[in-house]
Amino acid sequence: MGMGQDGRDLVDKRQTSIVRYDNGGNVIFRADDLSVLENSGLTLLAQYVLFFSQDGFPVAGISGGIRYGLEMPEGADDGDRVDWTVGAGAGKRLSDSWYMCLHLGYTHYGQTDILGFTLKDYSTTEILAIGWTLSPRFTLLGQYSHNSSLIRNMGKFSTGPHELDLGFKWRASENGDLEFAMIENIFTFANGPDFGLHLAYSLRI
């Protein structure tokens, strides 16, 4: 759409590359094949509801996850392959049609150096979501999320991204839900995806 892309939408995407220079302007790393960043791993997630909404209090829960890296990107150090995350969230129905959810998360990374960049070993996440129920099967959703930056002293890249999501959730059947959302990076446009689409179908068995 060209919104806040600073001209990046005019560049041939097939020419995408990563180039890093030293203080003298000399190229110390260049990657024209972004497959060097590919990685894979196994992830285990768990969630527990502390208490359900009652007597004016919101529903609240905690979550956690652990990931073990099987295949690491080229140029990564030989640090710990284990990442872990913890989070806490709460949700409350504000009226017959409106409800709100809040989530706070903390993630620790085992790898802190890749392609010569020294990264932080942690990040934080804040998510605020609201829902407007139009019918028992259909809800409009809006979400704001912020993630802290993983790198220092890199200009706009050192500022955490802010994302705005707008979409809906539709109960397509008694056992399945369809989700769709549009994702737009806001405030700082040089440190994350310009635009994205989310489509998912969950099935209860």
Side-chain angles (χ1 to χ4, degrees), residues 51-59 91-94:
F51 50 83
F52 292 93
S53 179
Q54 56 183 345
D55 299 329
F57 289 94
V59 60
K92 177 65 177 176
R93 181 175 291 276
L94 305 177

Side-chain angles (χ1 to χ4, degrees), residues 12-23:
D12 189 344
K13 302 303 183 291
R14 293 171 295 179
Q15 297 178 1
T16 302
S17 62
I18 299 175
V19 184
R20 187 182 182 195
Y21 303 89
D22 61 17
N23 293 332

Side-chain angles (χ1 to χ4, degrees), residues 1 6 28 42 50 63 71 87 100 120 147 162 165 182:
M1 294 184 180
D6 297 327
I28 58 177
L42 295 175
L50 295 175
S63 60
E71 179 184 7
M100 180 175 64
K120 299 177 183 177
N147 296 282
H162 302 258
D165 304 353
M182 297 180 294

